[in-house]
Short mmCIF file of all heavy atoms in Angstrom, two decimals:
data_model
loop_
_atom_site.label_atom_id
_atom_site.label_comp_id
_atom_site.label_asym_id
_atom_site.label_seq_id
_atom_site.Cartn_x
_atom_site.Cartn_y
_atom_site.Cartn_z
N ALA A 908 -1.16 23.72 5.42
CA ALA A 908 0.12 23.79 4.70
C ALA A 908 0.07 22.95 3.41
O ALA A 908 0.62 23.34 2.38
CB ALA A 908 1.26 23.31 5.59
N ILE A 909 -0.60 21.81 3.48
CA ILE A 909 -0.70 20.95 2.29
C ILE A 909 -1.50 21.65 1.19
O ILE A 909 -1.07 21.72 0.04
CB ILE A 909 -1.36 19.60 2.64
CG1 ILE A 909 -0.49 18.81 3.62
CG2 ILE A 909 -1.64 18.78 1.37
CD1 ILE A 909 -1.21 17.65 4.30
N LEU A 910 -2.64 22.22 1.59
CA LEU A 910 -3.48 22.86 0.58
C LEU A 910 -2.81 24.12 0.03
O LEU A 910 -2.95 24.44 -1.15
CB LEU A 910 -4.87 23.18 1.17
CG LEU A 910 -5.69 21.91 1.49
CD1 LEU A 910 -7.01 22.29 2.17
CD2 LEU A 910 -5.95 21.07 0.24
N ALA A 911 -2.01 24.79 0.89
CA ALA A 911 -1.30 26.00 0.42
C ALA A 911 -0.19 25.62 -0.56
O ALA A 911 0.23 26.44 -1.39
CB ALA A 911 -0.72 26.76 1.60
N ALA A 912 0.32 24.38 -0.49
CA ALA A 912 1.44 23.98 -1.35
C ALA A 912 0.99 23.52 -2.73
O ALA A 912 1.81 23.31 -3.61
CB ALA A 912 2.22 22.85 -0.67
N GLN A 913 -0.31 23.35 -2.92
CA GLN A 913 -0.75 22.80 -4.21
C GLN A 913 -0.79 23.88 -5.29
O GLN A 913 -1.07 25.04 -5.03
CB GLN A 913 -2.08 22.08 -4.10
CG GLN A 913 -3.28 22.99 -3.87
CD GLN A 913 -4.59 22.22 -3.95
OE1 GLN A 913 -4.71 21.21 -4.65
NE2 GLN A 913 -5.60 22.71 -3.25
N ASP A 914 -0.48 23.45 -6.51
CA ASP A 914 -0.66 24.31 -7.69
C ASP A 914 -1.00 23.39 -8.86
O ASP A 914 -1.31 22.22 -8.65
CB ASP A 914 0.59 25.17 -7.95
CG ASP A 914 1.83 24.34 -8.24
OD1 ASP A 914 1.69 23.19 -8.72
OD2 ASP A 914 2.95 24.82 -7.98
N THR A 915 -0.94 23.89 -10.09
CA THR A 915 -1.38 23.07 -11.22
C THR A 915 -0.42 21.91 -11.51
O THR A 915 -0.76 21.00 -12.27
CB THR A 915 -1.49 23.91 -12.51
OG1 THR A 915 -0.23 24.55 -12.71
CG2 THR A 915 -2.60 24.94 -12.39
N THR A 916 0.79 21.94 -10.91
CA THR A 916 1.74 20.85 -11.18
C THR A 916 1.74 19.79 -10.08
O THR A 916 2.38 18.76 -10.24
CB THR A 916 3.18 21.39 -11.32
OG1 THR A 916 3.61 21.91 -10.07
CG2 THR A 916 3.28 22.46 -12.39
N THR A 917 1.06 20.02 -8.97
CA THR A 917 1.05 19.01 -7.90
C THR A 917 -0.06 18.01 -8.20
O THR A 917 -1.22 18.21 -7.85
CB THR A 917 0.83 19.66 -6.51
OG1 THR A 917 -0.28 20.55 -6.59
CG2 THR A 917 2.07 20.41 -6.05
N LYS A 918 0.32 16.91 -8.83
CA LYS A 918 -0.68 15.99 -9.36
C LYS A 918 -1.20 14.99 -8.34
O LYS A 918 -2.35 14.57 -8.42
CB LYS A 918 -0.09 15.22 -10.55
CG LYS A 918 0.18 16.07 -11.78
CD LYS A 918 -1.11 16.58 -12.39
CE LYS A 918 -0.89 17.29 -13.72
NZ LYS A 918 -0.45 16.39 -14.78
N ILE A 919 -0.32 14.55 -7.42
CA ILE A 919 -0.72 13.49 -6.49
C ILE A 919 -0.35 13.88 -5.07
O ILE A 919 0.74 14.39 -4.82
CB ILE A 919 -0.02 12.15 -6.83
CG1 ILE A 919 -0.20 11.76 -8.30
CG2 ILE A 919 -0.55 11.02 -5.93
CD1 ILE A 919 0.53 10.47 -8.70
N LEU A 920 -1.27 13.61 -4.14
CA LEU A 920 -1.01 13.75 -2.71
C LEU A 920 -1.07 12.36 -2.09
O LEU A 920 -2.07 11.66 -2.23
CB LEU A 920 -2.09 14.66 -2.08
CG LEU A 920 -2.18 14.67 -0.55
CD1 LEU A 920 -0.90 15.20 0.09
CD2 LEU A 920 -3.39 15.52 -0.11
N PHE A 921 0.03 11.93 -1.46
CA PHE A 921 0.09 10.61 -0.84
C PHE A 921 -0.21 10.70 0.65
O PHE A 921 0.54 11.35 1.40
CB PHE A 921 1.47 9.97 -1.03
CG PHE A 921 1.74 9.53 -2.45
CD1 PHE A 921 2.51 10.31 -3.29
CD2 PHE A 921 1.19 8.34 -2.93
CE1 PHE A 921 2.75 9.90 -4.61
CE2 PHE A 921 1.43 7.93 -4.24
CZ PHE A 921 2.21 8.71 -5.08
N LEU A 922 -1.29 10.05 1.08
CA LEU A 922 -1.62 9.94 2.50
C LEU A 922 -1.49 8.48 2.87
O LEU A 922 -2.10 7.62 2.23
CB LEU A 922 -3.07 10.38 2.76
CG LEU A 922 -3.50 11.75 2.25
CD1 LEU A 922 -4.99 11.97 2.53
CD2 LEU A 922 -2.68 12.84 2.91
N CYS A 923 -0.69 8.19 3.87
CA CYS A 923 -0.52 6.80 4.30
C CYS A 923 -1.20 6.67 5.65
O CYS A 923 -0.77 7.28 6.63
CB CYS A 923 0.98 6.50 4.39
SG CYS A 923 1.33 4.78 4.77
N SER A 924 -2.29 5.90 5.70
CA SER A 924 -3.07 5.84 6.94
C SER A 924 -3.66 4.45 7.11
O SER A 924 -4.48 4.04 6.30
CB SER A 924 -4.19 6.90 6.90
OG SER A 924 -4.93 6.89 8.09
N PRO A 925 -3.27 3.71 8.16
CA PRO A 925 -2.26 4.01 9.16
C PRO A 925 -0.90 4.28 8.51
O PRO A 925 -0.55 3.65 7.53
CB PRO A 925 -2.20 2.73 10.01
CG PRO A 925 -3.54 2.09 9.84
CD PRO A 925 -3.95 2.42 8.44
N ASN A 926 -0.16 5.22 9.13
CA ASN A 926 1.09 5.67 8.51
C ASN A 926 2.28 4.84 8.97
O ASN A 926 2.41 4.53 10.15
CB ASN A 926 1.31 7.15 8.87
CG ASN A 926 2.53 7.74 8.15
OD1 ASN A 926 2.74 7.47 6.97
ND2 ASN A 926 3.32 8.53 8.86
N ASN A 927 3.12 4.49 8.03
CA ASN A 927 4.39 3.85 8.29
C ASN A 927 5.48 4.93 8.21
O ASN A 927 5.56 5.58 7.17
CB ASN A 927 4.62 2.78 7.20
CG ASN A 927 5.94 2.08 7.31
OD1 ASN A 927 6.69 2.28 8.25
ND2 ASN A 927 6.25 1.26 6.31
N PRO A 928 6.27 5.20 9.23
CA PRO A 928 6.53 4.42 10.45
C PRO A 928 5.84 4.91 11.73
O PRO A 928 6.13 4.37 12.79
CB PRO A 928 8.04 4.59 10.61
CG PRO A 928 8.27 6.02 10.21
CD PRO A 928 7.26 6.30 9.11
N THR A 929 4.97 5.94 11.65
CA THR A 929 4.47 6.52 12.91
C THR A 929 3.37 5.66 13.54
O THR A 929 3.03 5.84 14.70
CB THR A 929 3.94 7.96 12.69
OG1 THR A 929 2.90 7.91 11.71
CG2 THR A 929 5.05 8.89 12.23
N ALA A 930 2.76 4.76 12.76
CA ALA A 930 1.81 3.74 13.23
C ALA A 930 0.40 4.26 13.50
O ALA A 930 -0.51 3.46 13.74
CB ALA A 930 2.33 3.00 14.47
N ASN A 931 0.22 5.59 13.44
CA ASN A 931 -1.13 6.13 13.71
C ASN A 931 -1.94 6.26 12.42
O ASN A 931 -1.39 6.30 11.32
CB ASN A 931 -1.02 7.51 14.36
CG ASN A 931 -0.36 8.54 13.43
OD1 ASN A 931 0.74 8.30 12.93
ND2 ASN A 931 -1.03 9.64 13.17
N SER A 932 -3.27 6.37 12.60
CA SER A 932 -4.14 6.72 11.48
C SER A 932 -4.34 8.22 11.48
O SER A 932 -4.29 8.86 12.54
CB SER A 932 -5.49 6.03 11.62
OG SER A 932 -5.34 4.64 11.46
N PHE A 933 -4.59 8.77 10.31
CA PHE A 933 -4.88 10.21 10.23
C PHE A 933 -6.35 10.43 10.59
O PHE A 933 -7.20 9.57 10.32
CB PHE A 933 -4.59 10.74 8.82
CG PHE A 933 -3.12 10.68 8.44
CD1 PHE A 933 -2.74 10.71 7.10
CD2 PHE A 933 -2.13 10.60 9.41
CE1 PHE A 933 -1.39 10.66 6.74
CE2 PHE A 933 -0.78 10.55 9.06
CZ PHE A 933 -0.41 10.58 7.72
N ASN A 934 -6.63 11.60 11.17
CA ASN A 934 -8.01 11.94 11.51
C ASN A 934 -8.88 11.96 10.26
O ASN A 934 -8.50 12.54 9.25
CB ASN A 934 -8.08 13.33 12.15
CG ASN A 934 -7.38 13.36 13.50
OD1 ASN A 934 -7.30 12.34 14.19
ND2 ASN A 934 -6.85 14.52 13.86
N ALA A 935 -10.05 11.36 10.39
CA ALA A 935 -10.96 11.29 9.24
C ALA A 935 -11.33 12.68 8.74
O ALA A 935 -11.43 12.90 7.52
CB ALA A 935 -12.20 10.49 9.61
N ASN A 936 -11.49 13.63 9.64
CA ASN A 936 -11.86 15.00 9.22
C ASN A 936 -10.77 15.63 8.37
O ASN A 936 -11.06 16.30 7.38
CB ASN A 936 -12.08 15.91 10.44
CG ASN A 936 -13.40 15.63 11.10
OD1 ASN A 936 -14.30 15.05 10.47
ND2 ASN A 936 -13.54 16.03 12.35
#
Side-chain angles (χ1 to χ4, degrees):
I909 295 165
L910 293 175
Q913 71 172 331
D914 62 26
T915 55
T916 66
T917 49
K918 292 293 187 68
I919 308 177
L920 166 62
F921 288 100
L922 307 177
C923 185
S924 182
N926 185 42
N927 177 6
T929 59
N931 63 306
S932 292
F933 295 160
N934 293 332
N936 284 341

